[in-house]
């Protein structure tokens, strides 16, 4: 992994005189010209390579040899959905200001409507509709329960003979073609990695522990990772309930596609199970499958849609398939200097610190029970994030909306990728403030809600 630069100085606003009067197109030209001058001809090829991502033979983030897979009972949404676990761990509730995870989750999205754009009956209806398919596809605890409806471990529709692909590449392309036909924004393939699978698994709906060895129906060899897109206009309303709608909708899409890919594989004679957030961590699997890079906001940033995606996956016993290589795009370096998500986070869940092996916000085991020490990354306090969702009564996603990589078109982060090669630190900070000056990524903007609700009229 490329060393992160050590410049952690807080960014200063750019003088508005510098940017006054620059249109978006002109800014693009200025940026390109500046980058071009700085880079020179010979580095051009390096830039092009960098924009496509640098492939790696190994997982592109340092992981300690003694890293232990996460116990699913320590995952926030699993813990919050389980009455039993809440009763078993009063110290977790106490240490987090007597915040009762289970009670708050039970009453989530049930609060009163408000008179503010983004929080009306219209907005709530949109959100509940957005999440409804996921619940129908996977059950009431749809994000955290293994062995749900579409993600059932039962191997129904398994063809008795196996289809023989002529090459691993052919198998890979066929799976990706199928995933895209079912609606995937993108699809990557990687080997199953036990480090990213929960151990043990826990189903909060049935309050039961599950074992990969005793309960899961086969030995997974490969994981197919699927991306679904969230709507840009809806996302720009964050943290409103309209954002909640596109989050739920993209989760539903992602699971629907994973379920279809699982059936496709079973019809080819290979065992397969679709999974949402319920059996392993989607982020590292997406990174391993070359779909994006881990970012400060705790999300995976993809080259074309930034963090505006949701991820699902399919475990299969098919191993005659070409896997993708992880790729890096300069995101870690950009995040080191940007910090816009941390500034926009209403719960202060996102760290301003550099990547580390473990959380820097606390070392009290009763406070950081949900953390995953042993991966060198930006550690976020997911409990604070969850608390804000419940206070907001409908999620948040400010950290996706405000991210400079979140764009409906891609000129900005192509430029960022390009300049990352030669001009880190100060240019990253400049890019972040240019983004703000041009009005991108503003959160809590009622006019964005109105813009979304008027968008249906456009052809
Ligand atoms: S979703 Fe909101 S509260 Fe959670 S980390 Fe992102 S910005 Fe912070
Ligand atoms: S807002 Fe900035 S720091 Fe946060 S994830 Fe996006 S690029 Fe990284």
């Amino acid at each position: 992994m490329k060393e992160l630069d050590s410049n952690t100085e807080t960014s200063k606003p750019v003088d508005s005189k510098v940017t006054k009067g620059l249109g978006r197109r002109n800014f693009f030209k200025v940026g390109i010209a500046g980058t071009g001058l700085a880079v020179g001809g010979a580095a051009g090829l390096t830039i092009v390579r960098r924009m496509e991502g640098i492939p790696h033979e190994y997982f592109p983030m340092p992981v300690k040899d003694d890293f232990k897979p996460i116990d699913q009972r320590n995952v926030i949404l699993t813990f919050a959905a389980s009455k039993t676990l809440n009763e078993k761990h009063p110290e977790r509730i106490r240490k987090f200001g007597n915040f009762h995870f289970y009670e708050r989750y039970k009453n989530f999205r049930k609060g009163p409507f408000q008179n503010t754009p983004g929080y009306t009956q219209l907005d709530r209806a949109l959100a509940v509709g957005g999440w409804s398919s996921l619940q129908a596809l996977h059950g009431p605890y749809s994000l955290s329960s293994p062995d749900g409806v579409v993600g059932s471990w039962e191997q129904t529709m398994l063809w008795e003979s196996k289809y023989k692909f002529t090459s691993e590449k052919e198998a890979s392309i066929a799976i990706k073609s199928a995933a895209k036909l079912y609606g995937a924004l993108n699809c990557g393939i990687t080997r199953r990695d036990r480090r990213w699978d929960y151990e043990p698994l826990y189903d909060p709906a049935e309050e039961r522990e599950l074992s990969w060895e005793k309960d899961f129906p086969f030995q997974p060899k490969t994981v197919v990772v699927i991306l679904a897109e969230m709507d840009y206009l809806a996302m720009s309303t964050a943290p409103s309930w309209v954002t909640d709608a596109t989050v739920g909708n993209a989760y539903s899409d992602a699971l629907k596609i994973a379920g279809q890919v699982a059936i496709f594989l079973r019809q080819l004679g290979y065992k397969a199970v679709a999974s949402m957030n319920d059996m392993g961590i989607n982020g590292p699997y997406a990174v391993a499958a070359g779909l994006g890079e881990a970012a400060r906001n705790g999300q995976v940033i993809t080259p074309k849609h930034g963090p505006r995606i949701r991820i699902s996956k399919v475990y299969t016993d098919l191993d005659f398939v070409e896997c993708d290589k992880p790729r890096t795009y300069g995101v870690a370096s950009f995040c080191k200097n940007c910090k816009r998500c941390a500034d926009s986070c209403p719960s202060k869940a996102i760290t301003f610190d550099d990547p580390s092996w473990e959380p820097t916000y606390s070392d009290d085991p009763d406070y950081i029970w949900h953390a995953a020490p042993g991966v060198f990354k930006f550690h976020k306090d997911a409990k604070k994030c969850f608390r804000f969702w419940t206070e907001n009564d409908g999620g948040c996603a400010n950290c996706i909306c405000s991210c400079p990589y979140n764009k409906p078109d891609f000129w900005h982060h192509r430029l960022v990728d390009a300049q990352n090669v030669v001009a880190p630190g100060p240019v990253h900070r400049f890019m972040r403030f240019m983004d703000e000056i041009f009005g991108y990524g503003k959160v809590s903007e009622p006019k964005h809600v109105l813009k979304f609700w008027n968008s249906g009229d456009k052809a």
Side-chain angles (χ1 to χ4, degrees), residues 114-310:
Q114 298 164 35
N115 240 343
T116 322
Y119 297 92
T120 64
Q121 184 173 1
L122 183 71
D123 304 308
R124 167 61 61 66
L126 188 73
V128 172
W131 283 96
S132 60
S133 300
L134 184 68
Q135 280 147 10
L137 288 168
H138 210 54
Y141 296 113
S142 40
L143 286 176
S144 37
S145 284
D147 198 11
V149 185
V150 161
S152 169
W153 291 2
E154 228 175 285
Q155 294 300 295
T156 52
M157 301 167 78
L158 180 67
W159 202 255
E160 56 275 11
S161 60
K162 285 185 168 35
Y163 180 83
K164 302 281 180 224
F165 288 104
T166 55
S167 70
E168 292 187 340
K169 192 174 187 64
E170 185 205 13
S172 166
I173 293 172
I175 292 168
K176 290 177 185 178
S177 301
K180 286 180 182 170
L181 176 108
Y182 300 141
L185 181 69
N186 205 352
C187 173
I189 299 174
T190 185
R191 292 288 167 224
R192 191 249 182 140
D193 188 331
R194 294 210 66 147
R195 292 176 299 180
W196 315 135
D197 290 336
Y198 299 134
E199 183 71 69
L201 296 153
Y202 190 81
D203 178 3
E206 305 283 337
E207 302 284 13
R208 60 176 175 160
E209 191 180 310
L210 292 160
S211 149
W212 283 96
E213 280 71 34
K214 291 189 203 130
D215 302 307
F216 196 68
F218 59 91
Q219 266 263 338
K221 301 278 175 32
T222 304
V223 177
V224 180
V225 187
I226 290 150
L227 303 184
E229 184 181 4
M230 292 186 279
D231 181 75
Y232 177 75
L233 279 184
M235 185 52 69
S236 71
T237 71
S240 83
W241 296 345
V242 175
T243 316
D244 196 27
T246 191
V247 172
N249 194 57
Y251 269 126
S252 308
D253 288 346
L255 183 62
K256 180 212 84 140
I257 298 159
Q260 289 171 306
V261 169
I263 297 291
F264 168 71
L265 287 165
R266 285 188 219 155
Q267 283 286 290
L268 296 175
Y270 300 97
K271 292 180 179 166
V273 164
S275 164
M276 204 62 242
N277 297 0
D278 48 277
M279 288 164 55
I281 324 169
N282 290 341
Y285 270 126
V287 170
L291 294 170
E293 199 176 336
R296 181 183 292 280
N297 61 3
Q299 312 282 327
V300 169
I301 288 193
T302 63
K304 289 193 177 166
H305 295 79
R308 198 164 31 84
I309 46 105
R310 289 291 158 187

Side-chain angles (χ1 to χ4, degrees), residues 295-297 301 334-335 338-341 402-405:
R296 181 183 292 280
N297 61 3
I301 288 193
F334 190 84
C335 282
C338 166
K339 304 181 183 179
R340 194 167 178 201
C341 53
S402 63
C403 179
Y405 283 92

Side-chain angles (χ1 to χ4, degrees), residues 346-396:
S347 70
K348 302 292 167 224
I350 299 175
T351 182
F352 284 88
D353 295 343
D354 287 347
S356 54
W357 288 110
E358 51 198 51
T360 44
Y361 48 84
S362 173
D363 56 7
D364 179 346
D366 286 347
Y367 187 84
I368 56 161
W369 49 270
H370 64 293
V375 182
F376 195 73
K377 62 169 194 161
F378 297 103
H379 287 270
K380 159 174 159 181
D381 190 345
K383 302 185 301 305
K384 288 184 177 170
C385 175
F386 178 78
R387 181 169 60 196
F388 181 76
W389 292 2
T390 61
E391 284 163 3
N392 195 40
D393 208 22
C396 171

Side-chain angles (χ1 to χ4, degrees), residues 61-119:
M61 296 167 75
V63 182
K64 283 191 175 166
D65 289 344
D66 60 355
F67 174 79
K68 290 201 173 41
I70 296 171
D71 181 333
Q72 195 177 349
R73 290 171 293 208
N74 294 341
V75 175
I76 298 288
L77 285 181
T78 306
F79 182 77
S82 163
K83 190 164 188 265
T84 301
L85 293 178
N86 276 249
E87 284 166 359
K88 200 172 161 195
H89 291 288
E91 78 287 354
R92 295 181 176 180
I93 291 162
R94 201 169 48 244
K95 276 284 163 139
F96 197 53
N98 289 321
F99 176 85
H100 202 289
F101 292 80
Y102 176 74
E103 291 299 329
R104 295 294 283 267
Y105 200 22
K106 213 169 62 175
N107 294 309
F108 188 40
R109 284 194 201 97
K110 291 181 184 152
F113 309 132
Q114 298 164 35
N115 240 343
T116 322
Y119 297 92

